[in-house]
């Protein structure tokens, strides 16, 4: 039987979860911006704006300690971080472009090495997704196979209803358990009608055609045209729900310190700088080419998935106006024209 939850009860659910000791993360006002941040009460929740940054920080922090070390009397001891201290978390109000991303990242974080920091947060997090009833010119989720009502990655999914409140569906056991623990907050949906959803004004792209063009056009002049504008600032990667590059550094002194993971970005000039001084991606066009190749070819080659959910953040906040949808749309058109392959290999 379909269920619904009122706006009041949704905020009461947050209050209840916080009192139970859960960490609740959702969109909240932070100065002039809306960000995914820990909520202390239901009234903190903001649902009419897409947060500036993605929700990946709930699983993959900007910076995190993975061990500490100390040297005393010639002996060094190492202390691992106990991943079991990760709190039970509810991520609420995640738009489809954000809710889908953690499941895509599962592949790389559990590939040849299982990153328990990421995976334990995934295991201990319940995601409450929210359908989109508005979109702007930067949204392109439908172009990469998602939609404003996509439930991929959500444990509980909310659809806004005419007259207020939200229809509730539970695609996973996590979502069912959450509803079962708080039955007094959910009602039968009855004949309530959902609000019209927002379809981005873009055409669906042929991702396999794009991948095929990338396979044969490593040295295309296209990359040089884009690089004339790219500043290599890394904003696109840091805002993206699916970008996941990181570096590991030891911080402290010779006697005491921590080993920490920090976000990194393939657009940075020193990202591939070797200890010898050689840099295989020594100019910006090679670095932006890698960004597109990684999202629409390499990740698909390795894991059978596209590393982009069409959230549009990189378009909205690029300081030089690079539009990733326009780039892949152009590649889609070139693939359709069956242009001959370029030369060269990575």
């Amino acid at each position: 039987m379909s269920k619904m939850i009122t706006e009041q009860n949704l905020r009461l659910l947050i209050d209840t979860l916080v009192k139970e000791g859960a960490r609740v993360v959702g969109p909240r006002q932070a100065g002039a911006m809306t960000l995914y941040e820990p909520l202390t009460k239901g009234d903190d929740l903001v649902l009419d704006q897409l947060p500036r940054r993605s929700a990946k920080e709930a699983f993959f922090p900007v910076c995190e300690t993975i061990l500490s070390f100390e040297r005393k009397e010639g002996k060094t001891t190492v202390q691992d971080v106990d991943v079991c201290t990760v709190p039970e978390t509810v991520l609420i109000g995640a738009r489809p472009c954000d809710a889908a991303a953690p499941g895509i990242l599962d592949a790389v974080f559990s590939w040849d090495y299982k990153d328990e920091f990421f995976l334990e947060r995934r295991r201990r997090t319940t995601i409450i997704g929210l359908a989109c009833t508005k979109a702007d010119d930067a949204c392109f989720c439908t172009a990469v196979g998602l939609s404003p009502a996509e439930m991929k990655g959500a444990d509980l999914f909310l659809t806004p209803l005419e007259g207020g409140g939200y229809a509730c569906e539970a695609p996973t056991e996590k979502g069912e358990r959450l509803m079962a623990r708080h039955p007094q907050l959910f009602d039968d949906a009855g004949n309530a009608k959902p609000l019209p959803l927002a379809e981005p004004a873009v055409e669906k792209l042929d991702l396999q055609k794009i991948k095929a063009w990338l396979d044969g056009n490593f040295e295309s002049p296209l990359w040089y045209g884009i690089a004339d504008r790219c500043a290599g600032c890394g904003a696109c990667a840091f805002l993206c729900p699916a970008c996941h590059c990181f570096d590991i550094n030891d911080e402290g002194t010779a006697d005491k310190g921590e080993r920490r993971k920090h976000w990194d970005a393939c657009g940075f000039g020193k990202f591939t700088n070797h200890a010898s001084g050689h840099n295989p991606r020594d100019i910006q066009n090679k670095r932006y080419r890698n960004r597109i190749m990684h999202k629409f070819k390499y990740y698909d080659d390795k894991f059978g998935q596209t590393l982009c959910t069409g959230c549009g953040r990189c378009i909205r906040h690029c300081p030089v106006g690079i539009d990733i949808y326009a780039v892949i749309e152009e590649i889609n058109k070139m693939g359709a024209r069956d242009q001959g392959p370029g030369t060269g290999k990575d």
Side-chain angles (χ1 to χ4, degrees):
M1 180 180 294
S2 297
K3 295 289 185 180
M4 66 88 65
I5 187 168
T6 65
E7 181 81 24
Q8 180 180 0
N9 280 353
L10 181 64
R11 296 179 186 278
L12 182 56
L13 175 63
I14 295 172
D15 292 335
T16 303
L17 292 169
V18 170
K19 288 178 182 177
E20 291 175 349
R23 176 175 177 255
V24 182
V25 175
R28 69 185 297 270
Q29 202 66 31
M33 297 183 291
T34 300
L35 301 174
Y36 287 108
E37 291 190 339
L39 308 178
T40 59
K41 58 184 183 300
D43 287 344
D44 289 342
L45 185 67
V46 174
L47 291 180
D48 61 349
Q49 299 179 51
L50 178 73
R52 178 177 294 236
R53 300 200 299 263
S54 78
K56 71 180 176 186
E57 294 176 47
F59 311 97
F60 178 37
V62 176
C63 180
E64 66 180 321
T65 299
I66 59 177
L67 62 82
S68 60
F69 57 89
E70 186 172 10
R71 179 182 175 84
K72 283 184 177 181
E73 299 176 352
K75 182 180 180 181
T76 301
T77 58
V78 175
Q79 180 67 48
D80 290 328
V81 172
D82 184 1
V83 296
C84 292
T85 60
V86 172
E88 292 292 331
T89 299
V90 176
L91 171 61
I92 187 168
R95 300 293 177 171
C97 54
D98 284 327
I104 296 172
L105 293 180
D106 283 344
V108 70
F109 281 107
S110 60
W111 172 43
D112 58 343
Y113 174 80
K114 294 190 182 300
D115 187 324
E116 288 300 326
F117 296 92
F118 177 88
L119 297 175
E120 190 63 25
R121 289 188 181 95
R122 288 281 285 130
R123 283 189 285 266
R124 292 174 180 254
T125 300
T126 300
I127 299 176
I128 301 179
L130 176 66
C132 294
T133 55
K134 63 180 181 180
D136 65 16
D137 292 341
C139 294
F140 65 100
C141 64
T142 51
V144 292
L146 299 177
S147 79
E150 177 63 59
M151 296 187 193
K152 180 179 179 181
D155 299 299
L156 187 65
F157 193 77
L158 308 179
T159 303
L161 297 171
E162 292 182 356
Y166 304 88
C168 305
E169 296 181 68
T172 71
E173 291 184 1
K174 275 185 180 180
E176 291 175 352
R177 288 197 297 269
L178 180 64
M179 293 176 69
R181 287 202 305 271
H182 307 283
Q184 74 281 4
L185 301 178
F186 297 88
D187 301 311
D188 293 339
N191 297 320
K193 294 182 179 180
L195 287 173
L197 299 181
E199 289 286 336
V202 295
E203 295 183 7
K204 183 174 174 58
L205 299 172
D206 188 333
L207 297 176
Q208 289 307 305
K209 189 180 295 179
I210 290 168
K211 181 177 177 299
W213 187 90
L214 293 172
D215 282 336
N217 287 274
F218 190 76
E219 297 292 349
S220 170
L222 171 74
W223 310 120
Y224 293 89
I226 297 169
D228 286 342
R229 285 185 291 154
C230 181
C233 67
C236 52
F238 279 27
L239 296 172
C240 175
C243 282
H244 53 270
C245 293
F246 63 87
D247 197 2
I248 296 179
N249 303 100
D250 288 342
E251 300 179 1
T253 68
D255 294 321
K256 186 177 182 180
E258 295 178 333
R259 179 163 294 174
R260 312 185 84 186
K261 289 166 60 177
H262 302 270
W263 283 6
D264 208 341
C266 62
F268 292 158
K270 294 184 178 180
F271 182 78
T272 51
N273 205 37
H274 294 185
S276 66
H278 172 63
N279 190 342
R281 298 190 202 129
D282 55 340
I283 55 177
Q284 200 60 35
N285 79 289
K286 294 180 181 180
R287 296 191 275 273
Y288 193 83
R289 174 180 61 194
N290 182 73
R291 175 172 174 76
I292 300 296
M293 288 282 193
H294 189 196
K295 287 186 171 296
F296 298 97
K297 171 176 159 50
Y298 301 151
Y299 206 82
D300 194 351
D301 285 342
K302 193 82 179 174
F303 303 117
Q305 300 185 78
T306 298
L307 196 66
C308 175
T309 63
C311 73
R313 289 183 176 91
C314 61
I315 300 172
R316 291 182 200 95
H317 303 296
C318 177
V320 295
I322 294 177
D323 184 332
I324 192 173
Y325 173 75
V327 173
I328 56 177
E329 183 184 35
E330 179 62 22
I331 292 173
N332 193 60
K333 291 176 181 176
M334 289 190 289
R337 291 196 297 264
D338 268 334
Q339 288 192 346
T343 59
K345 296 181 179 179
D346 196 355

